[in-house]
Amino acid sequence: MPGSSVELAAILLGFLPGYEPRYAYIVLSRLLGGVEALVISLGEAFLLALVLGFLAEEAWALLLRLSKRISVLRILVNRVLSAQRKAERLVKRYGAVGLSLFVAVPLPVTGIYTGSVVAVLLGLDKRSSILSLAVGGALSVMIVAVINEVGGRVLG
């Protein structure tokens, strides 16, 4: 069980945009071991999906307002809109499952944060959005965990 400030900091990393639970797993697995890291990271993914599923609409509206005054935020808005265009094909073809697949890919700009805004922009209902974000976030953590564990064994 986590006890040190380093472990707590690693757990908190999982809640940051751009870092998210999938990358926190890597740090946590070094500190706590694979099983504890997996449990914590999956819990973070579910919690983040729930919170962002409810807050995404308000957060997007705030980001749009602030981006009119802060140029750095305009870059972020453009990245989210670009991600939306990429995710739109998956969501239109596969619905909520498509959003899960988009979130599951462990690449920059495909995580739970972006997925929650994409869900708002594509008009998905909150229930479907939250479920898709949770499943996609969990899959992403598991993909990274497998890659991390296999890579660790191969590289020694």
Side-chain angles (χ1 to χ4, degrees), residues 106-117:
L107 294 173
V109 195
T110 61
I112 299 170
Y113 278 92
T114 304
S116 66
V117 176

Side-chain angles (χ1 to χ4, degrees), residues 26-146:
I26 297 168
V27 176
L28 288 169
S29 69
R30 300 294 187 270
L31 295 171
L32 304 172
V35 174
E36 274 190 293
L38 187 62
V39 169
I40 290 169
S41 297
L42 289 173
E44 288 177 325
F46 293 129
L47 182 59
L48 205 51
L50 184 63
V51 170
L52 292 177
F54 281 106
L55 297 179
E57 196 168 342
E58 293 79 13
W60 179 247
L62 176 64
L63 181 61
L64 286 175
R65 280 196 308 275
L66 292 174
S67 70
K68 293 176 183 171
R69 289 184 238 147
I70 304 170
S71 61
V72 172
L73 294 180
R74 279 194 291 273
I75 295 168
L76 181 59
V77 166
N78 289 333
R79 284 191 178 177
V80 170
L81 292 174
S82 175
Q84 180 227 345
R85 288 188 290 277
K86 291 175 185 173
E88 191 169 19
R89 290 185 309 236
L90 280 173
V91 174
K92 283 190 176 189
R93 186 165 185 180
Y94 301 108
V97 172
L99 181 61
S100 291
L101 293 173
F102 175 78
V103 171
V105 176
L107 294 173
V109 195
T110 61
I112 299 170
Y113 278 92
T114 304
S116 66
V117 176
V118 165
V120 168
L121 295 175
L122 296 178
L124 293 179
D125 64 278
K126 282 194 191 317
R127 185 173 182 225
S128 295
S129 297
I130 292 169
L131 183 59
S132 296
L133 295 171
V135 169
L139 285 172
S140 187
V141 168
M142 289 188 276
I143 290 167
V144 170
V146 167

